[in-house]
Amino acid sequence: MTLPPTGVSKSQLAYHWIKARISDGTFTPGYRLVLGAIGKDLGVSVVPVREAIRRLEAEGLVTFERNVGAQVAMLEETEYLYTMQTLSVVEGVATALSAPFITTADIERARTVNQAMIVSLEDLNPHRFTELNLEFHSILFESCPNPHILDLVHRGWNRMKVLRDSTFSFVPGRARDSVAEHDNLLQLIEAGADALTLELAARAHRTGTLDAFLAYQKSHHPQPASDPSPRKRA
């Protein structure tokens, strides 16, 4: 590797190198930043890389967790919140409307995908888990007869791809709950549950992932407590 320009410290070099890869999507949200590997790529020790990571953490671009290490942070948290809230509503409706058209073969195909997700829990790859998750849910909502609602669902999932690689990178424990909820959705469809029951179950499944992520964010980025003392009137 070429030496950094004169006047640029190794820490600054590492900072700009990592930040550029976060910005262009090379390092996606949830991507583990291994200090030794980055240092090797840059031809520097882990010390300047660690300093760069701390600077990026202060900017909110990186998170650090004991026993996990440094990871690229979730970006556009507010947009993620709004998208997940919207997707929970439209996907819930789409799933309920699709139910009468879902065949036994569709159910078996969905179970096969969910089983693959269960197997992957042993050595969780969040990105692959998310791909399987979309495949599973597509089986349940693609038969929606209302093209406008289906278009909104597609828009929501596409928006999620832009916002993050996978929530499961941050809250891997949610993955195990998710596959159990998948099985519950399939049982409801097989049992011929009414549309409202199925819609609410699908919506709760989606908001469960959102709630898990928000709880993670709150524990790692707590908001400062507001001043409880009453303000004096002027």
Side-chain angles (χ1 to χ4, degrees), residues 9-79:
S9 70
K10 293 178 179 179
S11 174
Q12 290 174 314
L13 171 68
Y15 167 80
H16 290 295
W17 188 86
I18 297 169
K19 188 171 184 178
R21 279 152 183 77
I22 292 175
S23 298
D24 67 18
T26 302
F27 293 166
T28 57
Y31 183 90
R32 288 191 62 190
L33 299 170
V34 181
L35 275 62
I38 293 174
K40 184 177 180 180
D41 286 341
L42 293 173
V44 301
S45 71
V46 297
V47 175
V49 178
R50 184 178 294 111
E51 292 173 353
I53 293 294
R54 287 173 179 166
R55 183 175 170 186
L56 291 164
E57 184 181 10
E59 294 179 5
L61 293 176
V62 169
T63 62
F64 186 87
E65 185 174 355
R66 187 180 297 276
N67 299 325
V68 175
Q71 292 178 286
V72 178
M74 178 76 74
L75 303 180
E76 302 289 346
E77 181 182 340
T78 301
E79 286 301 313

Side-chain angles (χ1 to χ4, degrees), residues 28-30 109 112-137 157 161 164-169 175 178-179 182:
T28 57
R109 186 157 58 96
T112 298
V113 174
N114 201 43
Q115 183 58 39
M117 297 175 74
I118 292 172
V119 171
S120 74
L121 292 173
E122 298 303 318
D123 186 20
L124 183 64
N125 179 324
H127 179 71
R128 177 56 180 159
F129 191 88
T130 297
E131 290 180 333
L132 290 170
N133 190 45
L134 173 56
E135 184 178 351
F136 174 87
H137 283 287
W157 275 95
K161 291 177 183 178
R164 60 91 166 100
D165 183 46
S166 173
T167 307
F168 303 110
S169 300
S178 183
V179 294
H182 285 175

Side-chain angles (χ1 to χ4, degrees), residues 174-189:
R174 172 60 190 159
R176 195 168 297 276
D177 293 336
S178 183
V179 294
E181 291 166 12
H182 285 175
D183 189 56
N184 179 59
L185 287 172
L186 294 178
Q187 290 180 34
L188 288 173
I189 293 172

